[in-house]
Amino acid sequence: MSSSAALISVRRVCAVAGAALLMVAGLAAPAAAHASAQPVAAGVTYLSAGRLGASVAAVVALIGVVVGGLALARPAGRLGTVVPLVAGLVGVGLGALVVATAEGGLGTGNGLGGGLVALVVGLIALVLGGLTLTRSRRTG
């Protein structure tokens, strides 16, 4: 595969990732614009929908970071390049959804902190996936 074809593939992956992020942000914006009263903080042991969504998003994004780190450490097949990208996109998408729909601030139990963590970890997974994809295109 020529380097120009690999560059086009990387550009397509970046374009699709950017479009997906814009779509998630565009769909979540009306939910974020909904202004309501400050909710009562959830209990420590209570697992709210926001906490559950943020936890799932963070775990999926963390799986992407681990697989991406392993793929960078040693050569991996196609699965090592695709899993971090997909897991990163899912983590960023779910994290953005949780952040956009969380009512109240940090510490209210609505998953805002976990959503922010999922956004950061998902972006790290996307970067690692992009690096592994670039390296696999160069060597393959």
Side-chain angles (χ1 to χ4, degrees):
M1 177 179 278
S2 68
S3 62
S4 63
L7 184 60
I8 291 172
S9 296
V10 171
R11 286 182 183 165
R12 284 186 183 166
V13 168
C14 291
V16 168
L21 288 175
L22 288 175
M23 183 182 71
V24 168
L27 293 175
H34 177 68
S36 63
Q38 189 78 347
V40 177
V44 175
T45 59
Y46 180 69
L47 187 62
S48 67
R51 284 181 179 172
L52 181 64
S55 298
V56 168
V59 167
V60 168
L62 187 61
I63 289 170
V65 168
V66 169
V67 172
L70 290 174
L72 277 178
R74 58 180 177 256
R78 291 287 283 173
L79 192 62
T81 60
V82 173
V83 169
L85 290 172
V86 172
L89 278 175
V90 170
V92 167
L94 286 176
L97 183 66
V98 169
V99 168
T101 59
E103 296 176 353
L106 288 171
T108 59
N110 292 317
L112 181 61
L116 292 172
V117 168
L119 280 171
V120 171
V121 175
L123 287 174
I124 293 170
L126 282 172
V127 168
L128 288 174
L131 289 173
T132 58
L133 182 65
T134 303
R135 190 181 76 179
S136 72
R137 298 282 185 196
R138 240 185 305 157
T139 60

